[in-house]
Amino acid sequence: MAERMQILGVPVDPMTMQEAVAKITTRTLEGKQTFVVTANAEIIMMCQENPAYKEIVSNKADIVLADGAGAVWAGRYKGYEVPERVAGYDLYRNLLDQGRQHEMKSFFFGGSPAIAETAKTKVEELYPGVKVVGTHNGYFKDEDVPDIIDEINQSGADYLFIALGAPKQENWIMAHKDELKCKLFMGIGGSFDVLAGKMERAPKWMQDASLEWLFRLYKQPSRFMRMMALPKFVLKVIFSK
């Protein structure tokens, strides 16, 4: 495994998809809790602007992976060996596929009403035998949290996939990890939406050409201001070298 790299003060583990899945699965089988962050340029830039969030990603997460062309480019630009991008959506699906071989149970938390349920149905079609033992949408109040935690614990889930968007999903994990019995905690952004068919993913050739960001912008012009984080990120990395 390549040396852990630092991108604008955020530690990132340069793994292949296969290495990431193997490490997470091994830790789960050993009964260890694992908090995973898939860090793209936008998340790394959020860390620059939000010290509390940077503390979570840098010092509380067990594994931080390079999700996005920006993170991979930054690592290579700074001289690190970065084998490949580990996209959160692909990691999520690989973990579900691998997890069914070990009878791991998953809970889907987040997304719009009915989206997590639709994602569950789709996953069960894609990976026969997968165990999704509960779902809960992302619309809740603070007073609902104890009941949500109890629901997750009662389900017996090993994997908790949370789609609340960054930084909310990582903040929620950090705030409640000690109350939960799950072994894996991972924020997955809009992955339920993609699985449920609400959001389209970029064609494979665009993913391979590191142009997935452009496809997202084309599909969701409202993301323009969020996308401005990418050129800022590039300049910040260049001037930090």
Side-chain angles (χ1 to χ4, degrees):
M1 195 180 302
E3 172 193 3
R4 194 174 216 201
M5 54 189 180
Q6 291 284 334
I7 301 176
L8 301 181
V10 176
V12 180
D13 301 293
M15 299 182 186
T16 63
M17 178 66 74
Q18 186 176 9
E19 287 171 341
V21 172
K23 182 167 184 175
I24 293 166
T25 302
T26 297
R27 286 178 61 94
T28 305
L29 291 171
E30 291 173 349
K32 297 176 181 175
Q33 282 196 331
T34 306
F35 177 11
V36 177
V37 175
T38 53
N40 56 18
E42 188 178 352
I43 283 178
I44 294 172
M45 285 302 288
M46 284 181 192
C47 289
Q48 309 310 301
E49 298 155 8
N50 185 334
Y53 185 55
K54 185 175 183 178
E55 170 67 15
I56 290 173
V57 176
S58 299
N59 297 317
K60 304 300 181 182
D62 299 291
I63 300 173
V64 182
L65 299 164
D67 177 359
V72 172
W73 165 81
R76 291 173 179 170
Y77 179 79
K78 292 175 71 66
Y80 294 101
E81 181 185 335
V82 189
E84 64 181 351
R85 170 196 179 202
V86 180
Y89 176 74
D90 296 327
L91 177 62
Y92 160 57
R93 287 187 53 171
N94 274 282
L95 287 169
L96 289 169
D97 187 22
Q98 179 71 17
R100 66 177 169 164
Q101 298 177 36
H102 301 284
E103 299 190 338
M104 297 297 177
K105 301 172 184 175
S106 298
F107 194 103
F108 294 178
F109 173 32
S112 304
I115 288 294
E117 288 85 349
T118 305
K120 174 182 183 292
T121 301
K122 184 65 177 178
V123 160
E124 289 168 344
E125 292 173 4
L126 290 169
Y127 308 113
V130 73
K131 295 185 177 182
V132 182
V133 292
T135 64
H136 195 288
N137 67 57
Y139 290 78
F140 59 93
K141 299 175 182 177
D142 289 344
E143 54 264 36
D144 300 327
V145 171
D147 288 338
I148 293 171
I149 290 171
D150 187 57
E151 183 182 352
I152 294 167
N153 284 336
Q154 289 296 324
S155 75
D158 302 291
Y159 292 166
L160 177 58
F161 295 106
I162 303 185
L164 300 177
K168 185 176 181 180
Q169 58 199 17
E170 287 79 25
N171 289 337
W172 198 92
I173 290 169
M174 198 62 242
H176 305 292
K177 187 162 71 77
D178 292 343
E179 303 167 69
L180 290 156
K181 298 176 183 177
C182 308
K183 297 298 181 289
L184 171 66
F185 305 90
M186 179 174 156
I188 57 170
S191 294
F192 295 159
D193 289 329
V194 176
L195 263 178
K198 182 180 177 183
M199 185 187 301
E200 187 179 357
R201 198 167 182 210
K204 184 70 164 58
W205 71 267
M206 292 190 81
Q207 296 176 41
D208 293 342
S210 300
L211 292 173
E212 196 162 9
W213 63 272
L214 185 60
F215 182 82
R216 287 181 185 173
L217 184 59
Y218 166 68
K219 286 291 185 178
Q220 297 175 286
S222 61
R223 293 176 63 97
F224 177 77
M225 291 310 295
R226 287 178 60 183
M227 290 293 183
M228 289 304 293
L230 187 55
K232 290 178 184 176
F233 172 77
V234 170
L235 290 172
K236 204 167 182 66
V237 169
I238 290 171
F239 285 112
S240 72
K241 189 171 181 180

